[in-house]
Amino acid sequence: MYLGFRSKEFVILEEEYKNISDKFVLTTDDGSYGEKGFAINFLRQDIEKGNIDAIYACGPLPMLKAVQELAKETKIPCQISLEERMGCGIGVCLGCAVQVNAGEDTVYTHVCKAGPVFDSNIVKI
Amino acid sequence: MNTEVNLAGIKMKNPVTVASGTFGYGREFSEFIDLNKLGGIITKGTSLKPRPGNKPPRVCETTAGMLNSIGLQNPGVEYFMNNDLPWLRKFDTKVIVNACGSSIEEYVELAKVLNTLDIDGVELNLSCPNVKAGCMAFGTSYEGVKEVTSQVRKVLDKPLIVKLTPNVTDITEPARGAEDAGADGVSLINTLLGMSIDVEKQRPVLANNMGGLSGPAVKPVAVRMVYQVAQAVKIPILGLRRNSNRKRCDRIYASWSNSCINRNRKLY
């Protein structure tokens, strides 16, 4: 479990995650609590050690994008949980669009019905 | 109680329809409600070719309403006729296709296809605020509406309803354009063009910057425009608004029916 926060004041669910994790790394961007830096950097180190079989990620889009690239680069299976503003939540309004990889074409799928968890190879974020 | 109505030549068992874009092609909602109970279903805006839609974020919440900028994402008329239409036809409800395009030629081509399908009517979308070319560009003037509608009228034998945009100075002008071009009815309103700013990001919330405002916030505008159009044209009006509960729905229907009796014309 790699749990990243901006700084100490934003840290939540530390004990809960620690209790269910074999390995637990907590980071803050400014180093005010836990390890200093982005959680993904510590994930990368462990991937390089060969300790990671799969990645499941949720969080802000820039972070997910970085995780998606890391998974692609290291060829580790990865699933990401996306958030998007929803109107209906049942696949009707088409509000919560996310682009999927479809070559030259622009194709959208929708977080509410097709997601929210996607294989990181499928979506273009 | 006999709730049967004839709206612009479409005989419906009751006056309740669903506004285009709020109901897809009915499949998702069929898990929650019995589609047979509806007088009619107006489909998601459908174009000649598939449209991918706009970049996200596409929706955002506002005070007493929401903005959307979907960009008419739809699978195209060919997909509709092969997949959604046969499925929709299993239900005892009228099927009205909301038709959108980016040019007069495209509207006409689409209307030619729709004319061959087993549908009950066409709602001509001259009012989507979220696509660059077409739609609302035609819908804001008497001449624009009249031109597109009359071209479509020439190739379409089915009941034709023109959906109007509220983003105009005088709603009666496009309404008269539709009537003079031979439309069987008008529906109103589509959404009001709006914008919401994310103060932290210092940019509009929607990727497309602007979007259409709907919800309780716009209801008085819709009611006002239906009132104005009712005095300007003789063709029937399909009033599009949010029915949040049955009591309110009954009340509106009752009050509008009353006004119809006075004018010998029905407003729904």
Side-chain angles (χ1 to χ4, degrees), chain B residues 65-115:
Chain B
M66 66 174 284
L67 289 172
N68 87 79
S69 177
I70 308 300
L72 292 174
Q73 175 178 350
N74 79 90
V77 71
E78 199 179 322
Y79 184 92
F80 166 75
M81 62 190 263
N82 293 327
N83 296 275
D84 297 301
L85 183 57
W87 181 83
L88 273 171
R89 272 298 166 218
K90 292 191 291 189
F91 298 92
D92 176 24
T93 188
K94 300 296 175 180
V95 177
I96 302 165
V97 176
N98 181 287
C100 51
S102 315
S103 65
I104 291 180
E105 294 71 30
E106 210 180 315
Y107 276 108
V108 171
E109 283 310 304
L110 177 58
K112 281 180 187 167
V113 178
L114 292 174
N115 203 42

mmCIF file of all heavy atoms in Angstrom, chain B residues 65-115:
data_model
loop_
_atom_site.group_PDB
_atom_site.id
_atom_site.type_symbol
_atom_site.label_atom_id
_atom_site.label_comp_id
_atom_site.label_asym_id
_atom_site.label_seq_id
_atom_site.Cartn_x
_atom_site.Cartn_y
_atom_site.Cartn_z
ATOM 1 N N GLY B 65 -29.692 23.826 -10.479
ATOM 2 C CA GLY B 65 -29.638 23.356 -11.862
ATOM 3 C C GLY B 65 -28.303 22.711 -12.192
ATOM 4 O O GLY B 65 -27.516 22.385 -11.293
ATOM 5 N N MET B 66 -28.071 22.523 -13.460
ATOM 6 C CA MET B 66 -26.790 21.970 -13.891
ATOM 7 C C MET B 66 -26.456 22.446 -15.299
ATOM 8 O O MET B 66 -27.330 22.855 -16.060
ATOM 9 C CB MET B 66 -26.818 20.443 -13.869
ATOM 10 C CG MET B 66 -27.760 19.818 -14.871
ATOM 11 S SD MET B 66 -27.628 18.013 -14.931
ATOM 12 C CE MET B 66 -26.114 17.771 -15.855
ATOM 13 N N LEU B 67 -25.162 22.431 -15.598
ATOM 14 C CA LEU B 67 -24.715 22.733 -16.953
ATOM 15 C C LEU B 67 -24.294 21.434 -17.609
ATOM 16 O O LEU B 67 -23.703 20.574 -16.964
ATOM 17 C CB LEU B 67 -23.496 23.657 -16.927
ATOM 18 C CG LEU B 67 -23.693 25.112 -16.506
ATOM 19 C CD1 LEU B 67 -22.329 25.780 -16.369
ATOM 20 C CD2 LEU B 67 -24.532 25.858 -17.533
ATOM 21 N N ASN B 68 -24.598 21.300 -18.894
ATOM 22 C CA ASN B 68 -24.058 20.149 -19.609
ATOM 23 C C ASN B 68 -23.517 20.578 -20.950
ATOM 24 O O ASN B 68 -23.998 21.529 -21.566
ATOM 25 C CB ASN B 68 -25.117 19.055 -19.778
ATOM 26 C CG ASN B 68 -25.952 19.252 -21.021
ATOM 27 O OD1 ASN B 68 -25.512 18.916 -22.132
ATOM 28 N ND2 ASN B 68 -27.127 19.825 -20.868
ATOM 29 N N SER B 69 -22.492 19.865 -21.355
ATOM 30 C CA SER B 69 -21.940 20.065 -22.688
ATOM 31 C C SER B 69 -21.512 18.707 -23.213
ATOM 32 O O SER B 69 -20.321 18.374 -23.253
ATOM 33 C CB SER B 69 -20.747 21.026 -22.633
ATOM 34 O OG SER B 69 -20.196 21.155 -23.923
ATOM 35 N N ILE B 70 -22.505 17.906 -23.562
ATOM 36 C CA ILE B 70 -22.243 16.537 -24.011
ATOM 37 C C ILE B 70 -21.725 16.562 -25.447
ATOM 38 O O ILE B 70 -20.867 15.762 -25.824
ATOM 39 C CB ILE B 70 -23.533 15.673 -23.927
ATOM 40 C CG1 ILE B 70 -24.172 15.769 -22.532
ATOM 41 C CG2 ILE B 70 -23.252 14.234 -24.309
ATOM 42 C CD1 ILE B 70 -23.315 15.304 -21.387
ATOM 43 N N GLY B 71 -22.238 17.489 -26.228
ATOM 44 C CA GLY B 71 -21.773 17.588 -27.609
ATOM 45 C C GLY B 71 -22.429 16.582 -28.536
ATOM 46 O O GLY B 71 -21.829 16.127 -29.510
ATOM 47 N N LEU B 72 -23.690 16.237 -28.202
ATOM 48 C CA LEU B 72 -24.479 15.353 -29.062
ATOM 49 C C LEU B 72 -23.804 14.010 -29.352
ATOM 50 O O LEU B 72 -23.863 13.498 -30.467
ATOM 51 C CB LEU B 72 -24.829 16.046 -30.382
ATOM 52 C CG LEU B 72 -25.799 17.221 -30.261
ATOM 53 C CD1 LEU B 72 -25.955 17.912 -31.613
ATOM 54 C CD2 LEU B 72 -27.158 16.772 -29.743
ATOM 55 N N GLN B 73 -23.123 13.478 -28.352
ATOM 56 C CA GLN B 73 -22.569 12.130 -28.537
ATOM 57 C C GLN B 73 -23.712 11.181 -28.877
ATOM 58 O O GLN B 73 -24.705 11.092 -28.166
ATOM 59 C CB GLN B 73 -21.876 11.648 -27.260
ATOM 60 C CG GLN B 73 -21.400 10.199 -27.399
ATOM 61 C CD GLN B 73 -20.657 9.686 -26.179
ATOM 62 O OE1 GLN B 73 -20.314 10.433 -25.276
ATOM 63 N NE2 GLN B 73 -20.392 8.396 -26.163
ATOM 64 N N ASN B 74 -23.588 10.492 -29.998
ATOM 65 C CA ASN B 74 -24.607 9.501 -30.368
ATOM 66 C C ASN B 74 -24.027 8.549 -31.406
ATOM 67 O O ASN B 74 -23.049 8.865 -32.077
ATOM 68 C CB ASN B 74 -25.869 10.199 -30.896
ATOM 69 C CG ASN B 74 -25.744 10.665 -32.322
ATOM 70 O OD1 ASN B 74 -26.063 9.943 -33.258
ATOM 71 N ND2 ASN B 74 -25.227 11.878 -32.520
ATOM 72 N N PRO B 75 -24.620 7.356 -31.519
ATOM 73 C CA PRO B 75 -24.032 6.322 -32.391
ATOM 74 C C PRO B 75 -24.377 6.471 -33.870
ATOM 75 O O PRO B 75 -23.945 5.655 -34.679
ATOM 76 C CB PRO B 75 -24.635 5.036 -31.828
ATOM 77 C CG PRO B 75 -25.946 5.448 -31.261
ATOM 78 C CD PRO B 75 -25.774 6.860 -30.757
ATOM 79 N N GLY B 76 -25.160 7.514 -34.210
ATOM 80 C CA GLY B 76 -25.535 7.688 -35.610
ATOM 81 C C GLY B 76 -26.831 6.971 -35.951
ATOM 82 O O GLY B 76 -27.241 6.027 -35.270
ATOM 83 N N VAL B 77 -27.485 7.439 -37.030
ATOM 84 C CA VAL B 77 -28.829 6.941 -37.356
ATOM 85 C C VAL B 77 -28.812 5.476 -37.796
ATOM 86 O O VAL B 77 -29.755 4.724 -37.538
ATOM 87 C CB VAL B 77 -29.522 7.838 -38.406
ATOM 88 C CG1 VAL B 77 -28.895 7.684 -39.791
ATOM 89 C CG2 VAL B 77 -31.019 7.545 -38.452
ATOM 90 N N GLU B 78 -27.721 5.048 -38.417
ATOM 91 C CA GLU B 78 -27.666 3.666 -38.885
ATOM 92 C C GLU B 78 -27.664 2.690 -37.707
ATOM 93 O O GLU B 78 -28.384 1.694 -37.707
ATOM 94 C CB GLU B 78 -26.415 3.464 -39.743
ATOM 95 C CG GLU B 78 -26.507 2.240 -40.613
ATOM 96 C CD GLU B 78 -25.275 2.065 -41.490
ATOM 97 O OE1 GLU B 78 -24.738 3.087 -41.982
ATOM 98 O OE2 GLU B 78 -24.847 0.918 -41.648
ATOM 99 N N TYR B 79 -26.854 3.023 -36.712
ATOM 100 C CA TYR B 79 -26.821 2.190 -35.511
ATOM 101 C C TYR B 79 -28.193 2.198 -34.840
ATOM 102 O O TYR B 79 -28.701 1.157 -34.412
ATOM 103 C CB TYR B 79 -25.743 2.702 -34.541
ATOM 104 C CG TYR B 79 -25.591 1.834 -33.316
ATOM 105 C CD1 TYR B 79 -24.673 0.790 -33.283
ATOM 106 C CD2 TYR B 79 -26.389 2.038 -32.186
ATOM 107 C CE1 TYR B 79 -24.551 -0.027 -32.171
ATOM 108 C CE2 TYR B 79 -26.282 1.230 -31.065
ATOM 109 C CZ TYR B 79 -25.357 0.197 -31.065
ATOM 110 O OH TYR B 79 -25.249 -0.605 -29.969
ATOM 111 N N PHE B 80 -28.787 3.394 -34.769
ATOM 112 C CA PHE B 80 -30.113 3.523 -34.142
ATOM 113 C C PHE B 80 -31.131 2.613 -34.825
ATOM 114 O O PHE B 80 -31.879 1.881 -34.181
ATOM 115 C CB PHE B 80 -30.572 4.983 -34.190
ATOM 116 C CG PHE B 80 -32.039 5.156 -33.891
ATOM 117 C CD1 PHE B 80 -32.516 5.046 -32.592
ATOM 118 C CD2 PHE B 80 -32.945 5.394 -34.916
ATOM 119 C CE1 PHE B 80 -33.863 5.187 -32.310
ATOM 120 C CE2 PHE B 80 -34.300 5.527 -34.642
ATOM 121 C CZ PHE B 80 -34.764 5.422 -33.340
ATOM 122 N N MET B 81 -31.158 2.669 -36.172
ATOM 123 C CA MET B 81 -32.190 1.901 -36.871
ATOM 124 C C MET B 81 -31.977 0.394 -36.753
ATOM 125 O O MET B 81 -32.940 -0.376 -36.766
ATOM 126 C CB MET B 81 -32.315 2.327 -38.341
ATOM 127 C CG MET B 81 -31.087 2.104 -39.177
ATOM 128 S SD MET B 81 -31.244 2.909 -40.790
ATOM 129 C CE MET B 81 -31.777 1.528 -41.750
ATOM 130 N N ASN B 82 -30.743 -0.019 -36.602
ATOM 131 C CA ASN B 82 -30.470 -1.453 -36.518
ATOM 132 C C ASN B 82 -30.529 -2.010 -35.098
ATOM 133 O O ASN B 82 -30.724 -3.204 -34.911
ATOM 134 C CB ASN B 82 -29.095 -1.772 -37.107
ATOM 135 C CG ASN B 82 -29.057 -1.535 -38.605
ATOM 136 O OD1 ASN B 82 -30.067 -1.740 -39.273
ATOM 137 N ND2 ASN B 82 -27.935 -1.086 -39.122
ATOM 138 N N ASN B 83 -30.315 -1.140 -34.116
ATOM 139 C CA ASN B 83 -30.226 -1.636 -32.744
ATOM 140 C C ASN B 83 -31.305 -1.100 -31.814
ATOM 141 O O ASN B 83 -32.041 -1.866 -31.206
ATOM 142 C CB ASN B 83 -28.843 -1.300 -32.167
ATOM 143 C CG ASN B 83 -27.751 -2.012 -32.921
ATOM 144 O OD1 ASN B 83 -27.438 -3.149 -32.627
ATOM 145 N ND2 ASN B 83 -27.173 -1.354 -33.919
ATOM 146 N N ASP B 84 -31.380 0.225 -31.688
ATOM 147 C CA ASP B 84 -32.295 0.790 -30.697
ATOM 148 C C ASP B 84 -33.745 0.778 -31.153
ATOM 149 O O ASP B 84 -34.642 0.515 -30.361
ATOM 150 C CB ASP B 84 -31.867 2.222 -30.355
ATOM 151 C CG ASP B 84 -30.494 2.245 -29.724
ATOM 152 O OD1 ASP B 84 -30.321 1.601 -28.682
ATOM 153 O OD2 ASP B 84 -29.582 2.877 -30.293
ATOM 154 N N LEU B 85 -33.968 1.071 -32.428
ATOM 155 C CA LEU B 85 -35.350 1.159 -32.894
ATOM 156 C C LEU B 85 -36.112 -0.172 -32.777
ATOM 157 O O LEU B 85 -37.219 -0.193 -32.235
ATOM 158 C CB LEU B 85 -35.394 1.713 -34.322
ATOM 159 C CG LEU B 85 -36.788 1.930 -34.898
ATOM 160 C CD1 LEU B 85 -37.616 2.860 -34.009
ATOM 161 C CD2 LEU B 85 -36.719 2.483 -36.316
ATOM 162 N N PRO B 86 -35.534 -1.294 -33.251
ATOM 163 C CA PRO B 86 -36.265 -2.568 -33.097
ATOM 164 C C PRO B 86 -36.554 -2.874 -31.633
ATOM 165 O O PRO B 86 -37.621 -3.399 -31.292
ATOM 166 C CB PRO B 86 -35.300 -3.611 -33.675
ATOM 167 C CG PRO B 86 -34.352 -2.842 -34.532
ATOM 168 C CD PRO B 86 -34.254 -1.468 -33.948
ATOM 169 N N TRP B 87 -35.642 -2.506 -30.761
ATOM 170 C CA TRP B 87 -35.843 -2.732 -29.328
ATOM 171 C C TRP B 87 -36.965 -1.834 -28.789
ATOM 172 O O TRP B 87 -37.856 -2.288 -28.071
ATOM 173 C CB TRP B 87 -34.531 -2.471 -28.588
ATOM 174 C CG TRP B 87 -34.633 -2.705 -27.111
ATOM 175 C CD1 TRP B 87 -34.535 -3.896 -26.456
ATOM 176 C CD2 TRP B 87 -34.897 -1.715 -26.109
ATOM 177 N NE1 TRP B 87 -34.712 -3.711 -25.112
ATOM 178 C CE2 TRP B 87 -34.934 -2.381 -24.870
ATOM 179 C CE3 TRP B 87 -35.091 -0.339 -26.137
ATOM 180 C CZ2 TRP B 87 -35.165 -1.723 -23.667
ATOM 181 C CZ3 TRP B 87 -35.324 0.329 -24.943
ATOM 182 C CH2 TRP B 87 -35.354 -0.354 -23.726
ATOM 183 N N LEU B 88 -36.919 -0.535 -29.153
ATOM 184 C CA LEU B 88 -37.942 0.411 -28.688
ATOM 185 C C LEU B 88 -39.337 0.017 -29.156
ATOM 186 O O LEU B 88 -40.331 0.241 -28.468
ATOM 187 C CB LEU B 88 -37.620 1.821 -29.213
ATOM 188 C CG LEU B 88 -36.687 2.676 -28.386
ATOM 189 C CD1 LEU B 88 -36.316 3.942 -29.153
ATOM 190 C CD2 LEU B 88 -37.304 3.034 -27.043
ATOM 191 N N ARG B 89 -39.404 -0.584 -30.332
ATOM 192 C CA ARG B 89 -40.700 -0.937 -30.924
ATOM 193 C C ARG B 89 -41.421 -2.049 -30.170
ATOM 194 O O ARG B 89 -42.588 -2.339 -30.415
ATOM 195 C CB ARG B 89 -40.502 -1.322 -32.397
ATOM 196 C CG ARG B 89 -40.577 -0.121 -33.321
ATOM 197 C CD ARG B 89 -41.962 0.472 -33.206
ATOM 198 N NE ARG B 89 -42.089 1.802 -33.769
ATOM 199 C CZ ARG B 89 -42.841 2.761 -33.222
ATOM 200 N NH1 ARG B 89 -43.492 2.565 -32.111
ATOM 201 N NH2 ARG B 89 -42.945 3.939 -33.782
ATOM 202 N N LYS B 90 -40.709 -2.688 -29.247
ATOM 203 C CA LYS B 90 -41.342 -3.738 -28.449
ATOM 204 C C LYS B 90 -42.286 -3.142 -27.405
ATOM 205 O O LYS B 90 -43.083 -3.844 -26.802
ATOM 206 C CB LYS B 90 -40.276 -4.585 -27.738
ATOM 207 C CG LYS B 90 -39.451 -5.427 -28.707
ATOM 208 C CD LYS B 90 -38.590 -6.436 -27.977
ATOM 209 C CE LYS B 90 -37.490 -5.765 -27.201
ATOM 210 N NZ LYS B 90 -36.504 -6.691 -26.634
ATOM 211 N N PHE B 91 -42.169 -1.825 -27.201
ATOM 212 C CA PHE B 91 -42.981 -1.184 -26.158
ATOM 213 C C PHE B 91 -44.160 -0.436 -26.771
ATOM 214 O O PHE B 91 -44.099 0.020 -27.912
ATOM 215 C CB PHE B 91 -42.116 -0.212 -25.343
ATOM 216 C CG PHE B 91 -40.990 -0.895 -24.630
ATOM 217 C CD1 PHE B 91 -39.744 -1.006 -25.241
ATOM 218 C CD2 PHE B 91 -41.179 -1.452 -23.375
ATOM 219 C CE1 PHE B 91 -38.700 -1.655 -24.596
ATOM 220 C CE2 PHE B 91 -40.147 -2.107 -22.731
ATOM 221 C CZ PHE B 91 -38.902 -2.212 -23.339
ATOM 222 N N ASP B 92 -45.199 -0.299 -25.950
ATOM 223 C CA ASP B 92 -46.397 0.403 -26.394
ATOM 224 C C ASP B 92 -46.232 1.897 -26.090
ATOM 225 O O ASP B 92 -46.816 2.430 -25.155
ATOM 226 C CB ASP B 92 -47.617 -0.182 -25.662
ATOM 227 C CG ASP B 92 -48.892 0.565 -26.016
ATOM 228 O OD1 ASP B 92 -48.937 1.172 -27.100
ATOM 229 O OD2 ASP B 92 -49.824 0.546 -25.194
ATOM 230 N N THR B 93 -45.395 2.556 -26.860
ATOM 231 C CA THR B 93 -45.167 3.982 -26.680
ATOM 232 C C THR B 93 -44.706 4.554 -28.022
ATOM 233 O O THR B 93 -44.159 3.824 -28.854
ATOM 234 C CB THR B 93 -44.120 4.234 -25.570
ATOM 235 O OG1 THR B 93 -44.061 5.633 -25.284
ATOM 236 C CG2 THR B 93 -42.728 3.746 -25.960
ATOM 237 N N LYS B 94 -44.972 5.842 -28.220
ATOM 238 C CA LYS B 94 -44.583 6.445 -29.499
ATOM 239 C C LYS B 94 -43.093 6.766 -29.502
ATOM 240 O O LYS B 94 -42.525 7.148 -28.468
ATOM 241 C CB LYS B 94 -45.384 7.719 -29.745
ATOM 242 C CG LYS B 94 -46.884 7.496 -29.805
ATOM 243 C CD LYS B 94 -47.273 6.625 -30.981
ATOM 244 C CE LYS B 94 -48.766 6.327 -30.952
ATOM 245 N NZ LYS B 94 -49.191 5.499 -32.068
ATOM 246 N N VAL B 95 -42.473 6.602 -30.654
ATOM 247 C CA VAL B 95 -41.047 6.875 -30.772
ATOM 248 C C VAL B 95 -40.838 8.101 -31.656
ATOM 249 O O VAL B 95 -41.225 8.114 -32.827
ATOM 250 C CB VAL B 95 -40.291 5.662 -31.359
ATOM 251 C CG1 VAL B 95 -38.818 5.989 -31.554
ATOM 252 C CG2 VAL B 95 -40.453 4.450 -30.458
ATOM 253 N N ILE B 96 -40.274 9.129 -31.050
ATOM 254 C CA ILE B 96 -39.989 10.364 -31.774
ATOM 255 C C ILE B 96 -38.469 10.541 -31.772
ATOM 256 O O ILE B 96 -37.839 10.501 -30.714
ATOM 257 C CB ILE B 96 -40.672 11.566 -31.084
ATOM 258 C CG1 ILE B 96 -42.189 11.325 -31.007
ATOM 259 C CG2 ILE B 96 -40.354 12.871 -31.807
ATOM 260 C CD1 ILE B 96 -42.918 12.242 -30.047
ATOM 261 N N VAL B 97 -37.894 10.702 -32.946
ATOM 262 C CA VAL B 97 -36.438 10.797 -33.028
ATOM 263 C C VAL B 97 -36.004 12.261 -33.071
ATOM 264 O O VAL B 97 -36.478 13.037 -33.897
ATOM 265 C CB VAL B 97 -35.899 10.060 -34.274
ATOM 266 C CG1 VAL B 97 -34.382 10.261 -34.410
ATOM 267 C CG2 VAL B 97 -36.217 8.579 -34.184
ATOM 268 N N ASN B 98 -35.122 12.613 -32.139
ATOM 269 C CA ASN B 98 -34.542 13.952 -32.148
ATOM 270 C C ASN B 98 -33.405 13.957 -33.164
ATOM 271 O O ASN B 98 -32.441 13.197 -33.045
ATOM 272 C CB ASN B 98 -34.035 14.312 -30.748
ATOM 273 C CG ASN B 98 -33.449 15.708 -30.692
ATOM 274 O OD1 ASN B 98 -32.360 15.955 -31.194
ATOM 275 N ND2 ASN B 98 -34.168 16.632 -30.077
ATOM 276 N N ALA B 99 -33.547 14.800 -34.198
ATOM 277 C CA ALA B 99 -32.607 14.784 -35.322
ATOM 278 C C ALA B 99 -31.721 16.018 -35.308
ATOM 279 O O ALA B 99 -32.210 17.149 -35.221
ATOM 280 C CB ALA B 99 -33.391 14.734 -36.633
ATOM 281 N N CYS B 100 -30.404 15.802 -35.380
ATOM 282 C CA CYS B 100 -29.511 16.963 -35.385
ATOM 283 C C CYS B 100 -28.493 16.857 -36.520
ATOM 284 O O CYS B 100 -28.179 15.766 -37.000
ATOM 285 C CB CYS B 100 -28.811 17.108 -34.050
ATOM 286 S SG CYS B 100 -28.019 15.623 -33.476
ATOM 287 N N GLY B 101 -28.002 17.999 -36.935
ATOM 288 C CA GLY B 101 -27.039 18.029 -38.029
ATOM 289 C C GLY B 101 -26.180 19.275 -37.961
ATOM 290 O O GLY B 101 -26.388 20.146 -37.118
ATOM 291 N N SER B 102 -25.194 19.356 -38.860
ATOM 292 C CA SER B 102 -24.298 20.510 -38.870
ATOM 293 C C SER B 102 -24.504 21.388 -40.095
ATOM 294 O O SER B 102 -23.897 22.435 -40.215
ATOM 295 C CB SER B 102 -22.834 20.054 -38.858
ATOM 296 O OG SER B 102 -22.636 19.050 -37.932
ATOM 297 N N SER B 103 -25.325 20.914 -41.025
ATOM 298 C CA SER B 103 -25.594 21.715 -42.222
ATOM 299 C C SER B 103 -26.990 21.354 -42.719
ATOM 300 O O SER B 103 -27.533 20.309 -42.331
ATOM 301 C CB SER B 103 -24.574 21.401 -43.320
ATOM 302 O OG SER B 103 -24.721 20.050 -43.741
ATOM 303 N N ILE B 104 -27.530 22.196 -43.577
ATOM 304 C CA ILE B 104 -28.869 21.913 -44.106
ATOM 305 C C ILE B 104 -28.861 20.582 -44.844
ATOM 306 O O ILE B 104 -29.766 19.763 -44.691
ATOM 307 C CB ILE B 104 -29.348 23.057 -45.022
ATOM 308 C CG1 ILE B 104 -29.602 24.300 -44.161
ATOM 309 C CG2 ILE B 104 -30.615 22.662 -45.774
ATOM 310 C CD1 ILE B 104 -30.087 25.514 -44.907
ATOM 311 N N GLU B 105 -27.789 20.351 -45.612
ATOM 312 C CA GLU B 105 -27.686 19.103 -46.376
ATOM 313 C C GLU B 105 -27.750 17.892 -45.442
ATOM 314 O O GLU B 105 -28.396 16.890 -45.742
ATOM 315 C CB GLU B 105 -26.367 19.051 -47.178
ATOM 316 C CG GLU B 105 -26.253 20.088 -48.286
ATOM 317 C CD GLU B 105 -26.061 21.516 -47.774
ATOM 318 O OE1 GLU B 105 -25.466 21.676 -46.689
ATOM 319 O OE2 GLU B 105 -26.522 22.463 -48.429
ATOM 320 N N GLU B 106 -27.047 18.014 -44.310
ATOM 321 C CA GLU B 106 -27.018 16.903 -43.375
ATOM 322 C C GLU B 106 -28.400 16.663 -42.760
ATOM 323 O O GLU B 106 -28.826 15.512 -42.609
ATOM 324 C CB GLU B 106 -25.995 17.220 -42.277
ATOM 325 C CG GLU B 106 -25.341 15.992 -41.685
ATOM 326 C CD GLU B 106 -24.341 16.369 -40.597
ATOM 327 O OE1 GLU B 106 -23.544 17.309 -40.794
ATOM 328 O OE2 GLU B 106 -24.392 15.737 -39.540
ATOM 329 N N TYR B 107 -29.084 17.746 -42.402
ATOM 330 C CA TYR B 107 -30.440 17.609 -41.865
ATOM 331 C C TYR B 107 -31.340 16.913 -42.890
ATOM 332 O O TYR B 107 -32.143 16.038 -42.551
ATOM 333 C CB TYR B 107 -31.039 18.983 -41.533
ATOM 334 C CG TYR B 107 -30.648 19.532 -40.169
ATOM 335 C CD1 TYR B 107 -29.764 20.604 -40.058
ATOM 336 C CD2 TYR B 107 -31.189 19.005 -38.998
ATOM 337 C CE1 TYR B 107 -29.419 21.128 -38.817
ATOM 338 C CE2 TYR B 107 -30.850 19.526 -37.758
ATOM 339 C CZ TYR B 107 -29.968 20.585 -37.670
ATOM 340 O OH TYR B 107 -29.626 21.089 -36.449
ATOM 341 N N VAL B 108 -31.207 17.310 -44.153
ATOM 342 C CA VAL B 108 -32.066 16.756 -45.200
ATOM 343 C C VAL B 108 -31.754 15.271 -45.412
ATOM 344 O O VAL B 108 -32.665 14.439 -45.513
ATOM 345 C CB VAL B 108 -31.922 17.555 -46.507
ATOM 346 C CG1 VAL B 108 -32.629 16.855 -47.656
ATOM 347 C CG2 VAL B 108 -32.474 18.965 -46.330
ATOM 348 N N GLU B 109 -30.472 14.938 -45.472
ATOM 349 C CA GLU B 109 -30.081 13.536 -45.654
ATOM 350 C C GLU B 109 -30.621 12.680 -44.515
ATOM 351 O O GLU B 109 -31.126 11.572 -44.725
ATOM 352 C CB GLU B 109 -28.548 13.406 -45.711
ATOM 353 C CG GLU B 109 -27.939 13.827 -47.047
ATOM 354 C CD GLU B 109 -28.634 13.173 -48.236
ATOM 355 O OE1 GLU B 109 -28.709 11.927 -48.263
ATOM 356 O OE2 GLU B 109 -29.131 13.902 -49.118
ATOM 357 N N LEU B 110 -30.484 13.201 -43.309
ATOM 358 C CA LEU B 110 -30.962 12.472 -42.134
ATOM 359 C C LEU B 110 -32.483 12.302 -42.193
ATOM 360 O O LEU B 110 -33.013 11.222 -41.913
ATOM 361 C CB LEU B 110 -30.542 13.233 -40.867
ATOM 362 C CG LEU B 110 -31.016 12.675 -39.529
ATOM 363 C CD1 LEU B 110 -30.534 11.241 -39.322
ATOM 364 C CD2 LEU B 110 -30.499 13.552 -38.382
ATOM 365 N N ALA B 111 -33.163 13.380 -42.585
ATOM 366 C CA ALA B 111 -34.628 13.326 -42.657
ATOM 367 C C ALA B 111 -35.083 12.288 -43.677
ATOM 368 O O ALA B 111 -36.081 11.591 -43.476
ATOM 369 C CB ALA B 111 -35.191 14.699 -43.007
ATOM 370 N N LYS B 112 -34.325 12.168 -44.767
ATOM 371 C CA LYS B 112 -34.668 11.160 -45.792
ATOM 372 C C LYS B 112 -34.592 9.761 -45.198
ATOM 373 O O LYS B 112 -35.446 8.912 -45.468
ATOM 374 C CB LYS B 112 -33.696 11.254 -46.978
ATOM 375 C CG LYS B 112 -34.008 12.389 -47.933
ATOM 376 C CD LYS B 112 -32.995 12.384 -49.072
ATOM 377 C CE LYS B 112 -33.162 13.597 -49.967
ATOM 378 N NZ LYS B 112 -32.003 13.762 -50.880
ATOM 379 N N VAL B 113 -33.550 9.523 -44.393
ATOM 380 C CA VAL B 113 -33.417 8.209 -43.754
ATOM 381 C C VAL B 113 -34.549 7.995 -42.758
ATOM 382 O O VAL B 113 -35.215 6.954 -42.754
ATOM 383 C CB VAL B 113 -32.049 8.081 -43.031
ATOM 384 C CG1 VAL B 113 -31.950 6.727 -42.317
ATOM 385 C CG2 VAL B 113 -30.897 8.253 -44.013
ATOM 386 N N LEU B 114 -34.793 9.013 -41.932
ATOM 387 C CA LEU B 114 -35.829 8.886 -40.900
ATOM 388 C C LEU B 114 -37.202 8.643 -41.514
ATOM 389 O O LEU B 114 -38.041 7.944 -40.943
ATOM 390 C CB LEU B 114 -35.859 10.145 -40.017
ATOM 391 C CG LEU B 114 -34.624 10.355 -39.132
ATOM 392 C CD1 LEU B 114 -34.698 11.704 -38.421
ATOM 393 C CD2 LEU B 114 -34.466 9.224 -38.120
ATOM 394 N N ASN B 115 -37.426 9.204 -42.683
ATOM 395 C CA ASN B 115 -38.716 9.052 -43.350
ATOM 396 C C ASN B 115 -39.011 7.597 -43.704
ATOM 397 O O ASN B 115 -40.164 7.216 -43.846
ATOM 398 C CB ASN B 115 -38.754 9.922 -44.609
ATOM 399 C CG ASN B 115 -40.166 10.248 -45.028
ATOM 400 O OD1 ASN B 115 -41.008 10.560 -44.188
ATOM 401 N ND2 ASN B 115 -40.443 10.137 -46.321
#
